[in-house]
């Protein structure tokens, strides 16, 4: 027995040793092997990206400059996986991974810089020539100012001490002396901007140009004023004779230099924007991505590559950021911006006092959406209607106007304020002028006093109205089994047949204070209408006219408040443009806050320090809506936003029951049966 016990102890010790050794080896990254058994793969590229890559011609390079030191392993795995997917998806795409802290990456880094210089050689030559001419003029201007300072100093000494003429010369001499000192400072700043070293791999052409343009334009204007002063001295008989003679002698020189400075500054003003300058500044941060292709190159700044969203505060009081890698989203958008003629512009239209592009209390802002739009290379502007004139985008730029209604406290009012009325008139003007508009509408308290809400009929030219008198409520059960009346509707099923619906279908979207969008009994002849999303009629939903009160205080809804047909919530309409050019599009959403940060930018943790959007459909619908309104239908497809984590669709009750049996009975029973079979074999 002692011998058998000893053998058992040695056997168990051996098993433990083997298990520890295997786990230690398996923990080494180089020896790990992962298999993604899901149908779609956790990091598969989106349909939008695959479609884009299939259309690429020529040689494209995605260069990621990022230090791996101190990075979370989960983030590094995601970065590597996304880049590998691009490499696998297209023969036209190659990947260059560059670690600034790794000497082995130096050759790839130098090759990248050489290729960038080659791509922009013509623009670099134009900048070098214009900057060289301007710096040469600056050097000669410095000599001229030194001569003028010396001449004025001598003139001053010859004048009556404390006299009027000496005081006038003192004023001009002070200006000349100041500008002489500034020319030296400007030359030093330009030399610093053009310097290349280990921390700055490329000259900062934009900074050098801006410094020279501002300085030379300012000096030219000032010289013109001095010329006017000299003209007065020359022609005024009461002026001291020495001053008159000096003014007559040097007036033409000053005028010539004013013209020379303006002439040398003009070519600098008209130089096209140089993407290489942005690339150089981004490279200074030591962390960026660059996309190179036949059309040129573009940089992805680190704040877009690793977007810091959702400012959060832990229980300890420490403020943290949810940092997400937006590799596919930003890289694909950058490629698209290089191949597209013009990316859409988004104009945010509202009547608030403060900007919606800045963080606001309770996240009632457009910050998350604007960051998402910027990440895909859409330009975002803001029009606060009662504070500025309507923006005038370039004619060749497709534009989508996004209207945000007043906040709910204002919509509860029984009167329309001045700022809100200005916003309403601005929206009417946009629609009348043939602009494509995303119209978001909130409920109104005006119906309680028998008044008509002007927001309800803004879509009338397209045969659409919004019932802002009642909100769709839903009774849901909480974790304790109690019933809660909520004013938020969550959807994931979208009506088939429209490009926007196809891009969002299957993704959870959240709409607060939803109101119904209705079609007119007789629609205009040239209008086409598509329902994108509708609120399904269920026993737990009803239309609540008294939506402003606390939902917990509501009584059981009356039978008349129930609706028995699905209520359209998101409706797309298009018609022949009233200006006679192309098609005008309108998207009406019966919710005012679905695209603001407090709903669209909410995230939850999913393990491994990763977080995903709770309502990815909100941003996905915004991106698809903007593309559709701008007429860029080719940009509408499921984007990388919805692929942060694979989501299962079509899991019916029978499928759930099957997997419960597999998890609770078949798997344990199989293990028990296998053990019994092994025992019986050993017994025999």
């Amino acid at each position: 027995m002692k011998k058998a016990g000893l053998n058992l102890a040695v056997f168990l010790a051996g098993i433990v040793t083997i298990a520890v050794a295997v786990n230690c080896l398996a923990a080494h990254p180089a020896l790990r092997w992962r298999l993604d058994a899901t149908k779609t793969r956790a990091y598969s590229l989106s349909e939008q990206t695959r479609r884009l890559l299939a259309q690429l011609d020529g040689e494209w390079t995605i260069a990621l400059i990022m230090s791996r030191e101190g990075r979370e392993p989960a983030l590094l795995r995601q970065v590597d996986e996304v880049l590998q997917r691009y490499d696998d998806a297209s023969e036209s795409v190659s990947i260059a991974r560059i670690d600034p802290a790794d000497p082995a990456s130096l050759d790839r880094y130098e090759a990248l810089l050489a290729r960038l210089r080659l791509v922009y050689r013509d623009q670099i030559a134009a900048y070098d020539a214009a900057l060289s001419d301007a710096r040469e003029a600056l050097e000669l201007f410095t000599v001229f100012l030194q001569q003028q300072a010396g001449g004025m100093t001598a003139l001053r000494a010859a004048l009556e001490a404390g006299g009027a003429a000496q005081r006038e010369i003192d004023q001009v001499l002070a200006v000349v002396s100041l500008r002489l000192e500034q020319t030296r400072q400007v030359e030093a700043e330009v030399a610093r901007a053009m310097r290349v070293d280990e921390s700055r791999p490329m000259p900062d052409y934009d900074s050098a140009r801006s410094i020279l343009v501002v300085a030379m334009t300012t000096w030219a204007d000032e010289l013109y004023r001095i010329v006017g002063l000299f003209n007065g001295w020359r022609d005024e008989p009461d002026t001291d004779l020495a001053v008159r003679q000096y003014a007559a002698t040097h007036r033409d020189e000053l005028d010539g230099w004013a013209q020379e400075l303006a002439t040398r500054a003009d070519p600098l003003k008209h130089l096209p924007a140089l993407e290489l300058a942005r690339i150089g500044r981004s490279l200074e941060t030591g962390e960026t991505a660059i996309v190179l292709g036949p059309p040129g190159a573009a940089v992805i700044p680190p704040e877009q590559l690793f977007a810091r969203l959702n400012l959060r505060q832990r229980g300890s009081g420490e403020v943290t950021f949810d940092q997400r890698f937006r590799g596919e989203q930003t890289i694909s958008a950058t490629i698209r911006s290089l191949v597209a003629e013009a990316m859409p512009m988004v104009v945010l239209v509202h009547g608030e006092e403060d900007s919606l592009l800045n963080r606001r209390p309770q996240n009632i802002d457009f910050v998350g959406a604007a960051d998402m739009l910027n990440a895909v290379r859409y330009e975002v502007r803001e029009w606060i209607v009662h504070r500025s004139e309507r923006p005038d985008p370039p004619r060749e730029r497709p534009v989508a106007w996004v209207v945000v209604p007043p906040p709910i406290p204002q919509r509860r009012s029984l009167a329309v304020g001045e700022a809100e009325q200005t916003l309403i008139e601005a929206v009417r003007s946009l629609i009348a002028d043939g602009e494509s508009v995303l119209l978001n509408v909130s409920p109104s308290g005006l119906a309680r006093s028998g008044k008509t809400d002007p927001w309800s009929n803004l879509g009338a030219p397209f045969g659409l109205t919004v019932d802002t008198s009642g909100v769709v409520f839903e009774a849901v059960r909480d974790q304790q089994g109690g019933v809660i009346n909520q004013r938020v509707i969550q959807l994931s099923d979208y009506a088939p047949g429209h490009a926007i619906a196809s891009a969002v279908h299957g993704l959870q979207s959240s709409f607060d204070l939803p109101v119904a969008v209705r079609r007119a009994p007789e629609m205009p002849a040239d209008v086409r209408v598509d329902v994108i999303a509708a609120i399904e009629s269920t026993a737990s939903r009803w239309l609540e006219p008294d939506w402003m009160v606390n939902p917990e205080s509501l009584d059981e809804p009356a039978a008349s408040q129930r609706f028995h047909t699905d209520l359209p919530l998101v409706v797309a309409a298009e018609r022949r443009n009233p200006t006679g050019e192309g098609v005008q599009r309108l998207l009406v959403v019966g919710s005012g806050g679905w695209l603001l940060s407090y709903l669209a930018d909410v995230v939850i943790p999913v393990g491994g320090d990763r977080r995903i959007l709770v309502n990815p459909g909100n941003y996905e619908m915004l991106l698809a809506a903007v593309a559709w309104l701008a007429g860029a239908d080719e940009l509408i497809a499921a984007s990388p936003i919805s692929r942060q984590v694979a989501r299962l669709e079509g899991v019916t009750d029978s499928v759930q029951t099957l997997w419960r049996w597999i998890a609770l009975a078949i798997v344990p029973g199989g293990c028990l049966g296998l053990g019994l079979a092994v025992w019986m074999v050993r017994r025999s």
Side-chain angles (χ1 to χ4, degrees):
M1 289 296 293
K2 290 184 178 181
K3 185 176 181 180
L6 180 61
N7 286 337
L8 179 60
V10 172
F11 176 75
L12 293 176
I15 292 295
V16 172
T17 303
I18 293 172
V20 172
V22 168
N23 276 277
C24 290
L25 290 173
H28 196 283
L31 299 178
R32 285 186 177 180
W33 179 73
R34 292 175 298 145
L35 174 65
D36 185 357
T38 62
K39 180 180 179 181
T40 58
R41 308 185 69 177
Y43 294 99
S44 60
L45 297 178
S46 67
E47 175 191 349
Q48 197 177 70
T49 296
R50 293 195 301 270
R51 184 188 303 173
L52 174 66
L53 295 179
Q55 299 171 352
L56 293 183
D57 294 321
E59 181 182 353
W60 290 78
T61 299
I62 302 171
L64 178 66
I65 298 93
M66 184 187 74
S67 175
R68 302 180 73 86
E69 185 177 353
R71 286 288 187 185
E72 298 175 357
L75 179 63
L76 293 176
R77 286 196 300 271
Q78 187 181 5
V79 171
D80 292 338
E81 184 73 16
V82 170
L83 293 179
Q84 188 61 46
R85 290 289 175 262
Y86 276 93
D87 199 18
D88 296 341
S90 175
E91 295 181 356
S92 300
V93 176
S94 60
I95 305 299
R97 295 177 178 85
I98 299 171
D99 186 345
D102 184 5
S105 299
L106 184 60
D107 290 343
R108 293 193 293 274
Y109 190 53
E110 292 296 335
L112 173 65
L113 296 179
R115 186 176 172 191
L116 287 170
R117 295 188 187 101
L118 181 63
V119 169
Y120 289 99
R121 60 185 180 275
D122 294 338
Q123 293 94 323
I124 290 174
Y127 266 78
D128 284 339
L131 291 172
S132 177
D133 288 346
R135 295 177 75 176
E136 181 182 352
L138 179 62
E139 185 177 347
L140 295 174
F141 182 58
T142 303
V143 174
F144 170 73
L145 289 178
Q146 290 172 340
Q147 295 171 346
Q148 290 298 313
M152 289 184 183
T153 301
L155 174 63
R156 181 186 183 284
L159 297 174
E160 178 185 354
Q166 192 180 71
R167 288 195 298 271
E168 291 176 337
I169 290 296
D170 282 343
Q171 294 176 2
V172 178
L173 182 59
V175 173
V176 170
S177 300
L178 177 61
R179 296 300 169 249
L180 180 59
E181 180 63 29
Q182 287 182 343
T183 58
R184 301 188 182 100
Q185 295 175 356
V186 167
E187 178 57 38
E189 289 296 325
V190 172
R192 187 178 297 112
M194 297 298 290
R195 186 182 67 244
V196 175
D197 53 30
E198 292 183 358
S199 63
R200 176 183 288 165
M202 292 184 180
D204 190 351
Y205 287 100
D206 265 357
S207 294
R209 177 180 68 164
S210 299
I211 292 169
L212 287 170
V213 166
V214 171
M216 298 176 82
T217 302
T218 302
W219 297 338
D221 293 341
E222 201 158 51
L223 286 180
Y224 280 126
R225 288 193 292 271
I226 295 176
V227 168
L229 180 63
F230 274 30
N231 287 336
W233 288 350
R234 182 193 60 184
D235 301 333
E236 178 58 51
D238 294 337
T239 303
D240 189 281
L241 179 60
V243 175
R244 291 172 60 191
Q245 291 176 341
Y246 187 89
T249 302
H250 296 282
R251 180 261 177 208
D252 290 341
E253 288 182 280
L254 287 166
D255 186 61
W257 266 109
Q259 296 182 35
E260 179 70 11
L261 291 174
T263 301
R264 295 296 180 97
D266 191 64
L268 294 174
K269 294 178 182 178
H270 294 91
L271 284 172
L274 186 63
E275 181 71 13
L276 186 65
R278 290 186 61 202
I279 294 173
R281 288 194 296 271
S282 191
L283 285 173
E284 290 182 46
T285 66
E287 190 171 86
T288 189
I290 299 171
V291 177
L292 298 91
V299 65
I300 305 172
E303 63 269 17
Q304 291 186 5
L305 195 63
F306 299 96
R308 287 182 169 182
L309 299 176
N310 299 294
L311 184 64
R312 299 178 180 279
Q313 187 169 5
R314 294 178 176 170
S316 61
E318 177 187 359
V319 176
T320 63
F321 290 92
D322 163 27
Q323 190 175 54
R324 284 177 259 160
F325 177 60
R326 285 187 175 168
E328 184 188 349
Q329 183 183 3
T330 53
I331 291 171
S332 295
T334 303
I335 295 174
R336 190 177 297 110
S337 70
L338 290 173
V339 299
E341 294 183 4
M343 293 295 286
M345 176 188 293
V346 179
V347 181
L348 185 66
V349 184
H350 65 89
E352 297 287 296
E353 289 298 326
D354 301 320
S355 172
L356 290 179
L357 298 180
N358 297 325
R359 289 285 181 192
R360 301 180 67 183
Q362 300 177 331
N363 291 330
I364 305 176
D365 54 55
F366 198 71
V367 173
D371 189 76
M372 193 70 66
L373 291 165
N374 286 326
V376 296
R377 299 269 168 164
Y378 292 179
E379 181 181 350
V380 179
R381 292 190 184 181
E382 185 176 33
W383 179 26
I384 303 178
V385 294
H386 60 282
R387 290 173 49 184
S388 61
E389 297 295 324
R390 185 204 293 190
D392 186 19
R395 289 184 59 85
E396 68 276 3
R397 194 76 179 270
V399 182
W401 303 82
V402 178
V403 179
V404 178
I408 293 303
Q410 293 185 30
R411 297 290 287 154
R412 290 173 175 165
S413 173
L414 300 182
V416 176
E418 183 178 349
E420 183 178 357
Q421 186 61 45
T422 304
L423 177 59
I424 293 169
E425 294 302 326
V427 177
R428 284 202 181 106
S429 176
L430 287 171
I431 295 175
D433 292 344
E435 301 290 349
S436 293
V437 177
L438 170 53
L439 177 61
N440 305 289
V441 182
S442 299
S444 171
L446 291 173
R448 304 290 292 176
S449 61
K451 299 179 181 179
T452 300
D453 179 18
W455 284 88
S456 64
N457 58 14
L458 286 177
F462 288 82
L464 299 176
T465 59
V466 183
D467 182 5
T468 59
S469 63
V471 170
V472 177
F473 272 58
E474 182 174 19
V476 297
R477 292 193 177 276
D478 58 18
Q479 296 180 348
Q480 288 74 34
V483 176
I484 300 176
N485 296 328
Q486 65 177 18
R487 299 175 287 191
V488 177
I489 294 294
Q490 293 176 333
L491 303 176
S492 58
D493 293 331
Y494 287 78
H498 196 278
I500 297 177
S502 299
V504 191
H505 182 68
L507 303 178
Q508 178 171 293
S509 307
S510 189
F511 301 89
D512 66 333
L513 296 170
V515 293
V517 182
R518 304 187 186 278
R519 300 175 55 165
E522 295 184 6
M523 296 291 294
D526 64 337
V527 173
R528 173 184 171 180
V529 172
D530 293 288
V531 175
I532 305 297
I535 303 174
E536 184 181 359
S537 169
T538 65
S540 60
R541 293 172 178 170
W542 71 95
L543 278 170
E544 179 57 63
D546 201 12
W547 57 272
M548 293 182 285
V549 303
N550 187 342
E552 297 181 2
S553 65
L554 290 174
D555 297 328
E556 181 72 17
S560 59
Q561 295 175 245
R562 304 288 184 182
F563 54 94
H564 305 288
T565 58
D566 295 351
L567 297 180
L569 178 66
V570 182
V571 178
E574 56 184 318
R575 65 173 179 172
R576 186 173 61 254
N577 199 305
T579 64
E581 299 180 3
V583 174
Q584 182 186 19
R585 290 175 167 177
L586 176 73
L587 186 70
V588 182
V589 181
S591 173
W594 69 274
L595 73 175
L596 300 180
S597 298
Y598 70 87
L599 270 184
D601 209 33
V602 179
V603 297
I604 56 172
V606 291
D609 293 328
R610 292 185 63 204
R611 293 180 174 88
I612 64 169
L613 290 167
V614 174
N615 304 306
N618 289 46
Y619 279 151
E620 195 74 78
M621 191 172 81
L622 176 62
L623 293 178
V626 166
W628 182 75
L629 290 168
D633 293 35
E634 70 278 3
L635 301 182
I636 304 175
S639 79
I641 297 173
S642 57
R643 307 188 70 84
Q644 296 170 320
V645 169
R647 291 170 167 85
L648 298 177
E649 297 182 39
V651 182
T652 62
D653 292 339
S654 59
V655 173
Q656 293 183 41
T657 302
L658 173 62
W659 280 104
R660 288 193 188 100
W661 278 106
I662 292 175
L664 298 177
I666 297 178
V667 172
C671 293
L672 182 61
L674 180 61
L676 182 61
V678 171
W679 179 78
M680 293 179 64
V681 169
R682 288 181 174 177
R683 289 277 297 183
S684 62

